[in-house]
Amino acid sequence: MNINQLETLVTISKTMSFRKAGELLNLTQPAVSAQIKSLEDEFGTLLVDRNQPVTLTDSGKCFLEHAEKILQTVVELKQRLADMSQIPQGHIHIGTTASIAMQILPRVLSYFQEEYPLIKTTIHSMTSSQIMTAVENGVIDIGIAYLTDKNTTYEAAVLYYDTFELIVSVDHPLSQLTHVSIDKLRSLPFIMLSTDTAARKFVDDIFKAYEIIPNVVMELSSSEEVKRMVELNLGVSIISRLSAVNDLRNASGKLRIIKVEEMDITHPVGVIYKSGRYLSSAMQQFLRDLKGMPETHFLGSE
């Protein structure tokens, strides 16, 4: 059974003639007869009484009722698909790190909810390495993460630049300083992010370059957990500056940022998606607007 056969039966019910139905459908009379015969063979019942004028049998009338519903569903589907190409809508799965989700997504998603209420989003919290894998495997549609290694399997665009900074408790002896050299970090107890995070990879690479073996006393999975431990003066850490911005704005905050010249390197944070994949209208609009946002929209005012 196909849509053309259903349209033919509906047209016959209205014209009561194989010839007239063929004229309206731009088909020959034998083609019309063949389509109806094919339906009758498939369903094992007589649908059309061929006596003049042509009429539908009881089975044909029952079939007609369902055929009209199916054709109406097809019409509605075509309209929905046409609407989707003009009005961005759909469901997007976004993967990002916990710190990025907390710092920038509220501003980004509030904008999209207001501008495009038909675009729904689900946020998946992951490490940067997990995000890359999830994008490649199609587990998530879009990733927002630190852009490290170039990979031809996905498209990437920079949204803003971040830095990684040394943070200490206000009760730590270094809290009174604004700058230190990397050599000062050799003996300090460190609270580190887990090894599969972008921040940890950066720290490990820098320490390796300067032949420093850090004194790691604790490893945690998120920047928020790290900050709470540093506030308690259980150790120092190196995290994204953006992750510490709100704590620094707070007059009663318990953290201080210390500049380490050797770590003064900017790191691009960007949006990634799989190369060559189908982009729904929702994804196209999300990516278009996200790439067009100024960097200040992500960083806010410090």
Side-chain angles (χ1 to χ4, degrees):
M1 183 180 70
N2 59 51
I3 298 300
N4 291 335
Q5 291 171 330
L6 300 183
E7 291 175 338
T8 298
L9 181 68
V10 170
T11 305
I12 287 175
S13 73
K14 294 176 179 178
T15 62
M16 295 189 295
S17 166
F18 279 66
R19 179 182 59 79
K20 291 180 180 178
E23 291 174 354
L24 290 175
L25 296 171
N26 198 28
L27 295 172
T28 64
Q29 185 171 333
V32 171
S33 297
Q35 287 193 5
I36 298 303
K37 182 66 167 57
S38 177
L39 280 178
E40 291 176 330
D41 289 345
E42 180 175 351
F43 289 90
T45 186
L46 189 67
L47 300 175
V48 177
D49 183 348
R50 270 74 168 176
N51 291 318
Q52 296 298 325
V54 172
T55 58
L56 298 185
T57 64
D58 289 342
S59 294
K61 292 175 183 177
C62 178
F63 195 99
L64 175 67
E65 181 183 345
H66 290 276
E68 288 176 332
K69 290 179 181 178
I70 293 171
L71 291 174
Q72 181 58 38
T73 299
V74 172
V75 170
E76 292 172 358
L77 173 59
K78 289 180 179 178
Q79 185 60 54
R80 283 289 302 276
L81 293 175
D83 290 344
M84 288 181 71
S85 66
Q86 299 177 22
I87 304 173
Q89 56 188 285
H91 194 161
I92 305 175
H93 289 267
I94 302 171
T96 190
T97 66
S99 60
I100 291 175
M102 293 183 66
Q103 299 302 325
I104 75 165
L105 281 190
R107 286 190 293 275
V108 170
L109 296 183
S110 64
Y111 163 81
F112 277 95
Q113 187 173 28
E114 182 176 343
E115 294 293 321
Y116 308 104
L118 296 181
I119 295 180
K120 309 302 179 185
T121 55
T122 297
I123 309 303
H124 304 267
S125 181
M126 306 175 173
T127 64
S128 292
S129 59
Q130 290 173 333
I131 291 169
M132 303 302 180
T133 301
V135 166
E136 291 180 17
N137 294 340
V139 175
I140 59 174
D141 300 310
I142 293 172
I144 302 176
Y146 289 94
L147 303 180
T148 52
D149 303 324
K150 290 185 178 180
N151 191 321
T152 57
T153 61
Y154 59 77
E155 303 289 336
V158 176
L159 301 178
Y160 64 93
Y161 289 87
D162 196 6
T163 57
F164 294 115
E165 310 280 5
L166 175 69
I167 60 168
V168 303
S169 164
V170 293
D171 299 321
H172 194 279
L174 293 181
S175 66
Q176 303 305 312
L177 303 177
T178 57
H179 295 74
V180 297
S181 70
I182 198 167
D183 284 332
K184 291 284 188 179
L185 309 184
R186 290 183 182 275
S187 60
L188 296 180
F190 266 89
I191 299 170
M192 291 284 204
L193 283 164
S194 56
T195 56
D196 55 358
T197 61
R200 179 61 181 273
K201 184 178 185 302
F202 166 70
V203 173
D204 286 347
D205 289 346
I206 287 289
F207 281 165
K208 183 178 180 180
Y210 287 91
E211 299 181 342
I212 295 174
I213 300 176
N215 175 23
V216 181
V217 296
M218 195 181 305
E219 287 187 344
L220 298 169
S221 60
S222 76
S223 296
E224 291 303 308
E225 294 173 327
V226 168
K227 287 188 293 184
R228 301 295 81 83
M229 295 301 104
V230 173
E231 285 179 351
L232 295 173
N233 204 17
L234 298 178
V236 302
S237 189
I238 296 171
I239 64 171
S240 154
R241 179 178 180 82
L242 192 58
S243 298
V245 164
N246 288 336
D247 298 85
L248 295 174
R249 289 174 181 161
N250 189 343
S252 60
K254 298 179 180 180
L255 294 178
R256 294 289 183 270
I257 281 184
I258 312 297
K259 179 68 69 176
V260 180
E261 296 297 343
E262 293 86 346
M263 293 187 176
D264 192 14
I265 303 171
T266 57
H267 300 266
V269 177
V271 57
I272 62 172
Y273 54 97
K274 190 171 184 179
S275 298
R277 67 158 293 167
Y278 165 73
L279 299 179
S280 66
S281 62
M283 285 184 64
Q284 290 182 44
Q285 191 65 57
F286 189 88
L287 289 168
R288 188 159 48 242
D289 284 22
L290 198 63
K291 292 177 183 178
M293 288 180 177
E295 186 172 355
T296 52
H297 191 88
F298 303 103
L299 301 180
S301 58
E302 296 188 19

